[in-house]
Amino acid sequence: MTADLVIHGGTVVTDTTTFAASVAIKDGRVLAVGAREAMPEAAEQLDATGLHVLPGAIDVHVHFREPGYTHKEDFGTGTAAAAFGGVTTVFDMPNVIPATGTAEALAAKHRLASEKAYVDYGLYGLLGEDTIAHVPDLVAGGVIGFKLYMGNTFGNIPSPTTGGMLEAFEVVAPTGKRVSLHAETASIMARREARLRAAGRKDPLAHLAARPAVVAVEAVARAAILSEWTGCRIHVLHISSAEELRPLAEAKARGVDITGETCPQYLLLGAEDYGRIGPVIRVNPPVREARNQAPLWAALASGVVDMIATDHAPHIPDEKVRDDIFTVDCGFPGVETQMPLMLTEVAAGRMSISDYVRWSAVNPAKCWGLYPRKGHLQPGADADIAIVDLARRWTIDDAKLQSRAKITPWHGRGVTGLPVHTLVRGRFVMKDRALVESARGTGRSVHTIQEMPAPRVANPDSTMTEIVRIPAASRGDAATGAAA
Ligand SMILES: [Zn+2]
């Protein structure tokens, strides 16, 4: 058999080890990993001498803003940024116009993404009180999961009441889909912010003051109770504080199927950076006091926090630089800088490259049932690959980012580690730091392929008595539709 491509000379990285090996690719999948002389003939060869060969990162939290806010980003620019960042699968959020809360809106978004995307993607459906009735249609239409906003965010999506949340979880639980939570309690933040504004506060740190960690602690604890009661799988987005880790760890210990992510901004920035960075730093939840960083790193190491995501949330400079912090749009791009920022911490000895692969690829794939088709590079897996130079030192320059929103808190930061080539299902989408324009439209919608154990259900009298699996390949164009 002739392979389509063989990557020679690199160091292959798994979540437990690294080893020198060649990687052969055929029909979009990994065909073989091993000694150079054991590789089949290949139509194309790539010399990766001195480079590391990683499973592409899976970023379960991005906002590519299409449709509705394409002056900030679209599926073309957002997935190009992913390709430059070594990210081969993204899960896109539903707070666009119209919100992704109906079958029609979802179908329209699938069309837009499939035409433009350079990397694979999952689309979240919006789960709010108004969209509970649409859950079956959204599942049939191929959502990767649901997003529920417990706190206010960009797009003014209303937060459901606790009663609405319980009902939403009851409806989603039998589908087996995971609900990703913006876990900040809206009513606490609204009162704090009103008091700060009344007192004349407009400075960047007023944003942090309006959202003390209790907003997240209360939200995570409440969501965990409802998850346990209904058997609905949940995921805590953008964990920012040490205090949230306790309700998360306690729920995990009780057997609740709850997963969590944190983001580079919470691991690497602190309250002292507000002065230096200014209003660009505004993000929900806020960057917190530096004392939170070490517990977040420790939670990744122990598995209490499962993964790294970015909350890539682009806005243009006009929307990020304003005198009154409460009028600044929340969030900033991150999908392109996540891997270099984290590889810099690998270079500094904070964690191993295998730890990074576990948090960026293996765990996200497992938590959403994409493993073993994605998340690693064993034969049979999708050939989603980031080939990186761990020694390359460079400086992040907002003007050179692929994202349409050329403004981040990372501008001017020195990093060590650079994705040099990115492949999605065996196809180069970024090669030698250049976008492969002909790969536009390469990205495909991903779907759950692996059944996961049923979560614990605290309420034995629930009318929901079993977790019903969503059949694989619910959409014909599914990149990962067939069972591996
Ligand atoms: Zn977000």
Side-chain angles (χ1 to χ4, degrees), residues 127-136 146 148 160-175 179 222-223 225-227 229-232 234 459 462-464:
L127 189 60
E129 294 196 15
D130 299 341
T131 66
I132 294 174
H134 295 284
V135 164
F146 289 91
L148 188 147
T161 60
T162 304
M165 252 179 89
L166 178 63
E167 221 169 277
F169 282 13
E170 284 171 338
V171 170
V172 173
T175 73
V179 177
R222 182 156 47 99
I225 289 167
L226 302 182
S227 166
W229 191 258
T230 59
C232 182
I234 58 172
N459 174 13
S462 169
T463 51
M464 192 280 296

Side-chain angles (χ1 to χ4, degrees), residues 61 63 93 147 238 311:
H61 187 172
H63 300 261
M93 288 295 173
K147 170 74 176 277
H238 44 46
D311 193 6

Side-chain angles (χ1 to χ4, degrees), residues 67 94 96-111 123-128 130-143 146:
V96 290
I97 305 174
T100 320
T102 64
E104 298 72 45
L106 176 65
K109 206 170 174 184
H110 269 300
R111 272 196 301 278
L123 301 181
Y124 280 107
L126 178 67
L127 189 60
D130 299 341
T131 66
I132 294 174
H134 295 284
V135 164
D137 284 352
L138 289 165
V139 171
V143 291
F146 289 91

Side-chain angles (χ1 to χ4, degrees), residues 61-63 65 93-95 147 149 153-154 182 237-238 261 263 283-285 310-313 330-331:
H61 187 172
V62 304
H63 300 261
R65 305 298 192 202
M93 288 295 173
N95 54 332
K147 170 74 176 277
Y149 290 91
T153 189
F154 181 75
H182 184 120
L237 301 160
H238 44 46
E261 74 186 30
C263 313
V283 60
N284 296 328
T310 67
D311 193 6
H312 176 91
C330 295

Side-chain angles (χ1 to χ4, degrees), residues 209-273:
R211 302 170 99 102
V214 68
V215 304
V217 176
E218 197 274 344
V220 172
R222 182 156 47 99
I225 289 167
L226 302 182
S227 166
E228 187 170 18
W229 191 258
T230 59
C232 182
R233 297 190 168 92
I234 58 172
H235 174 71
V236 183
L237 301 160
H238 44 46
I239 293 168
S240 62
S241 71
E243 288 83 359
E244 275 161 276
L245 300 170
R246 194 178 76 172
L248 177 63
E250 287 175 352
K252 284 191 167 188
R254 297 199 302 274
V256 178
D257 190 339
I258 181 172
T259 56
E261 74 186 30
T262 188
C263 313
Q265 54 267 31
Y266 306 115
L267 293 166
L268 300 174
L269 298 177
E272 70 281 3
D273 293 310

Side-chain angles (χ1 to χ4, degrees), residues 17 28 61 72 98 118 128-129 134 140-141 194 230 234 254 276-277 295 304 319 328 337 356 380 384 394 438 471 476:
T17 189
H61 187 172
K72 300 172 190 278
Y118 290 90
E129 294 196 15
H134 295 284
T230 59
I234 58 172
R254 297 199 302 274
R276 175 177 63 84
I277 294 170
V304 168
E319 299 162 334
V328 172
T337 47
Y356 174 67
D384 295 343
W394 58 289
S438 61

